[in-house]
Amino acid sequence: MKIRSLIIALLLLPIVCQAQYKGAILELNSKTGVYQVGDSIKVWAVVFPECSPKLEFTVQENMNKVISQKCLTLDEGKHLIYAGLCNAPAHYVYSVGLSGTEKANEKSMVGAIVSPESFTPGYAPPKDLRKFWNKQIAKMRRMPLKAQCKPAPQESTDQNGFTCVDLEIPMPEGNPVRAYLVYPSDAQTKSLPILIRAHAAGVKGKWCQSSVDQAIKDAKRGGGAIALDINAHGMLNGQPQSYYDNLDSGELKDYFGREITGHEDFYFRLMYLRLVRAIDYLVTLPQWDGERIAIMGESQGGAQAAALAGIDPRVTAASLRVPAFVDVAGKLNGRKGSWPRAYQNDPQKYADILPYYDAACLLTMSEAALFFEAGLIDYTCPPACVAAGYNSAKSSNKTIFFFTHRPHTTKAMDQRFYQRWREDVMTPRENWLNDYLK
């Protein structure tokens, strides 16, 4: 009866994500998925009535090595299918589904991490890391700061009471800073923190583009904020979709995997510098409280947030959701490295350049308050890499949350665990940021 009640409850959860495997789900004996050396990991399969009785169970270590694979015959109900002792720090993904399938919606997955405080990045931070970035910033600042501001388009009925600006700041190299800037129109002098939103990878998707509506929502956070929604590439705001489609297939095609020939021709250099230039302008606004500057981002946005927290000491807080480019060289420590894929597979090739951009190295310079989120079945930004970046961060005020059933995007998450993720991870993360902004 308990098993049937569990199955019914899970099936009644809101349908908010992509289709998941309907045959079974996996659960651990740890709600967080975090273990220590010496602990025992146990995995149960909850099998549904429509499930095929013959399943394949796989255990993968560090996302690059299958250490166990076996066929199971399971009836409806809950079954203990694995129990093992944690002998060393490692990351494991357990999956069960139809034999031979590679499709995520034909198997259930759950992740576990052992002694995450033990993970270290593949690259060591260069001795001249701070000097390198100070030089880049100084060179950028030789160009006088001249912001161009015009009223942002009317996207939302909520714009009443807010000043909404389409902001552009020329750069000495590459595209300008382009973003939407929003703050309460009645804000007093020195009353508001700064909050920057950085975007995930891509060019033509809506998630890559700045939004007035999103900036207004961010400006309402905490007790109110100076909100900047900045796109990663310096693209024009509010253009027809064809504009972004053309960039994606032309000028910005495969920007994240381009060949690197020197320390200053890496695409992410200007991406990071545009954030610094944006802050240069934001701190001139009379509404800024003179103290708090926060940045948040997911995936590539998390990489930008982590990088900025390292290279710009004015940043006082950063929310890093499944951050990319944190320990791209995980392979040097026997693990799968983080996105971008073009560099994670051969970290030695660019070992004299990428440490200047890898956020795991840049975080060694950050004293900002940090909130990390990692998904234990995230193959794009592996949780062991995120843990390595967390461990390397200089900050003494840092927090990390893992989630057992989170892949890289929440849209791809098994819907039956979505509400639990909201309660266990998203709500604490949002509360952390909003409390900081009060």
Side-chain angles (χ1 to χ4, degrees):
M1 180 65 77
K2 290 182 178 180
I3 296 298
R4 289 188 176 275
S5 298
L6 171 63
I7 293 171
I8 292 171
L10 288 169
L11 290 175
L12 288 176
L13 286 177
I15 299 176
V16 293
C17 303
Q18 294 178 358
Q20 74 290 317
Y21 177 54
K22 296 180 180 180
I25 57 172
L26 295 181
E27 284 282 14
L28 298 171
N29 58 331
S30 166
K31 186 178 181 182
T32 65
V34 178
Y35 297 83
Q36 294 297 316
V37 172
D39 290 345
S40 176
I41 298 178
K42 294 182 180 180
V43 182
W44 285 272
V46 179
V47 180
F48 296 94
E50 64 268 34
C51 184
S52 167
K54 294 184 178 181
L55 299 171
E56 185 175 83
F57 176 65
T58 302
V59 182
Q60 188 179 47
E61 184 177 36
N62 294 327
M63 290 188 157
N64 61 6
K65 180 182 179 183
V66 174
I67 60 173
S68 178
Q69 193 167 47
K70 61 182 178 180
C71 292
L72 302 174
T73 301
L74 301 175
D75 297 325
E76 177 187 350
K78 186 172 183 179
H79 307 268
L80 179 65
I81 59 174
Y82 177 87
L85 191 66
C86 303
N87 296 315
H91 168 233
Y92 298 101
V93 174
Y94 306 90
S95 63
V96 66
L98 302 179
S99 179
T101 184
E102 294 297 327
K103 297 180 180 179
N105 65 351
E106 292 182 4
K107 58 184 175 181
S108 178
M109 304 170 70
V110 68
I113 192 165
V114 181
S115 298
E117 69 280 0
S118 300
F119 290 98
T120 57
Y123 291 139
K127 293 181 180 179
D128 64 341
L129 185 60
R130 175 66 73 184
K131 181 179 179 181
F132 172 83
W133 279 104
N134 284 345
K135 178 182 177 181
Q136 300 302 314
I137 293 170
K139 184 168 63 172
M140 176 190 70
R141 286 176 175 161
R142 291 174 192 159
M143 181 178 190
L145 177 64
K146 293 183 179 180
Q148 301 168 15
C149 302
K150 61 182 180 181
Q154 186 79 28
E155 287 188 6
S156 170
T157 56
D158 289 339
Q159 287 185 221
N160 293 334
F162 290 91
T163 297
C164 304
V165 176
D166 189 341
L167 177 66
E168 181 172 312
I169 308 173
M171 294 283 289
E173 304 175 77
N175 287 338
V177 173
R178 290 187 174 120
Y180 285 128
L181 168 65
V182 173
Y183 54 88
S185 299
D186 61 355
Q188 302 298 307
T189 299
K190 293 188 175 182
S191 65
L192 299 177
I194 290 168
L195 176 60
I196 301 170
R197 175 179 292 270
H199 285 268
V203 177
K204 63 182 181 179
K206 291 298 181 183
W207 68 88
C208 313
Q209 303 166 26
S210 301
S211 161
V212 176
D213 189 53
Q214 182 60 66
I216 291 172
K217 292 177 182 177
D218 290 341
K220 293 179 179 180
R221 286 175 175 264
I226 298 169
L228 189 81
D229 188 345
I230 183 171
N231 74 73
H233 312 293
M235 303 182 296
L236 289 167
N237 292 320
Q239 299 301 299
Q241 184 58 42
S242 59
Y243 166 79
Y244 303 103
D245 292 343
N246 290 337
L247 283 178
D248 184 64
S249 61
E251 179 185 336
L252 295 179
K253 183 177 180 179
D254 298 332
Y255 70 88
F256 44 78
R258 295 175 178 174
E259 188 72 18
I260 309 170
T261 59
H263 286 76
E264 296 191 0
D265 74 345
F266 186 42
Y267 186 84
F268 283 71
R269 181 176 68 91
L270 294 180
M271 189 185 296
Y272 294 169
L273 286 174
R274 278 191 285 269
L275 291 165
V276 177
R277 182 93 289 194
I279 292 179
D280 287 349
Y281 172 72
L282 294 175
V283 298
T284 69
L285 298 177
Q287 295 86 355
W288 179 47
D289 65 15
E291 296 180 5
R292 292 172 294 169
I293 300 177
I295 182 169
M296 60 179 170
E298 181 171 4
S299 191
Q300 178 188 269
Q304 295 172 77
L308 187 66
I311 67 179
D312 194 329
R314 295 174 296 182
V315 174
T316 56
S319 175
L320 316 174
R321 299 163 56 187
V322 291
F325 216 160
V326 177
D327 190 23
V328 73
K331 187 174 182 179
L332 298 179
N333 285 332
R335 299 180 278 102
K336 179 181 172 65
S338 186
W339 184 92
R341 295 184 184 90
Y343 314 118
Q344 66 184 196
N345 294 327
D346 190 5
Q348 286 287 13
K349 183 177 181 180
Y350 303 108
D352 61 334
I353 297 174
L354 288 184
Y356 290 90
Y357 298 94
D358 190 322
C361 295
L362 297 174
L363 284 167
T364 63
M365 302 187 292
S366 177
E367 296 184 3
L370 303 171
F371 191 109
F372 291 75
E373 177 185 348
L376 287 173
I377 56 171
D378 183 350
Y379 279 78
T380 303
C381 303
C385 295
V386 179
Y390 172 86
N391 295 334
S392 69
K394 182 179 180 181
S395 174
S396 59
N397 182 4
K398 54 186 179 179
T399 302
I400 187 167
F401 276 61
F402 298 94
F403 192 70
T404 52
H405 294 83
R406 171 158 189 172
H408 189 57
T409 69
T410 53
K411 288 184 178 180
M413 186 186 297
D414 186 325
Q415 66 192 29
R416 294 165 293 197
F417 298 97
Y418 185 80
Q419 186 60 33
R420 198 176 91 188
W421 168 79
R422 287 180 60 91
E423 294 171 357
D424 293 352
V425 181
M426 191 191 82
T427 296
R429 184 192 71 222
E430 294 300 286
N431 289 343
W432 176 88
L433 182 58
N434 290 333
D435 287 347
Y436 185 82
L437 297 171
K438 286 181 180 178

